[in-house]
Amino acid sequence: MADAENNTQVTPQPQAQQTTVPDIDYGKIEAMINKGTQQKENAILKSFFEQQGMTEDEVKKAITTYKAEQGKKVEEQKNAYANMQAENEQLKAQILQSNINAKATDIGLDMGVDKNAVGYLIKMADLSKAVNEKNEIGEEEIKNAFEEVLKNVPALKASTNSNTGFKV
């Protein structure tokens, strides 16, 4: 028991260590992974083709053919993706134009343009500034464009002297 009283525990004081994070070259890591993946892929392909009874030259040709086919598939996928993106942008533009035309039709009718002449007014007006950077349609810009056209071609406005009703 006396020994237990003489044993004092000494706790070491933690020393302040500076931990510096080494610069990580992610490009180098990716290159290493790609190299390892390629080596493993080549080994698997070589093993498969040798199991099929191919000679060394036939294996090399088969691997080259396989890799060329894979490259074509990747290129086709890239092209398909680019085509989908272009088609998506085209559809967005068509939808936006349709929305502009619908809003412009409403504004034209509200301005008193004859309903048969609204289509002509839309075609004659410069609606290039009708959409802002956020792809929002500006009613004021459409009105201004319409007013400019109506100033030059007042015949597009609906006539107020409409002969509705019966003549006796």
Side-chain angles (χ1 to χ4, degrees), residues 135-147:
N135 277 345
E136 296 171 343
I137 300 171
E139 292 183 23
E140 232 11 80
E141 288 78 8
I142 294 174
K143 284 180 184 177
N144 292 339
F146 282 176
E147 287 172 355

Side-chain angles (χ1 to χ4, degrees), residues 3-61:
D3 287 336
E5 290 176 10
N6 289 338
N7 287 341
T8 58
Q9 252 184 339
V10 176
T11 57
Q13 295 293 325
Q15 295 179 359
Q17 294 181 0
Q18 285 186 339
T19 55
T20 58
V21 178
D23 290 336
I24 299 173
D25 185 0
Y26 292 105
K28 189 174 182 179
I29 292 171
E30 186 176 348
M32 290 171 53
I33 291 171
N34 288 339
K35 184 179 178 185
T37 304
Q38 287 174 350
Q39 289 174 345
K40 191 151 196 128
E41 180 181 302
N42 286 340
I44 292 169
L45 289 172
K46 184 176 179 182
S47 172
F48 174 78
F49 291 135
E50 285 176 349
Q51 288 175 1
Q52 302 299 315
M54 296 178 148
T55 65
E56 188 71 29
D57 288 337
E58 290 173 332
V59 168
K60 286 180 183 177
K61 288 179 185 176

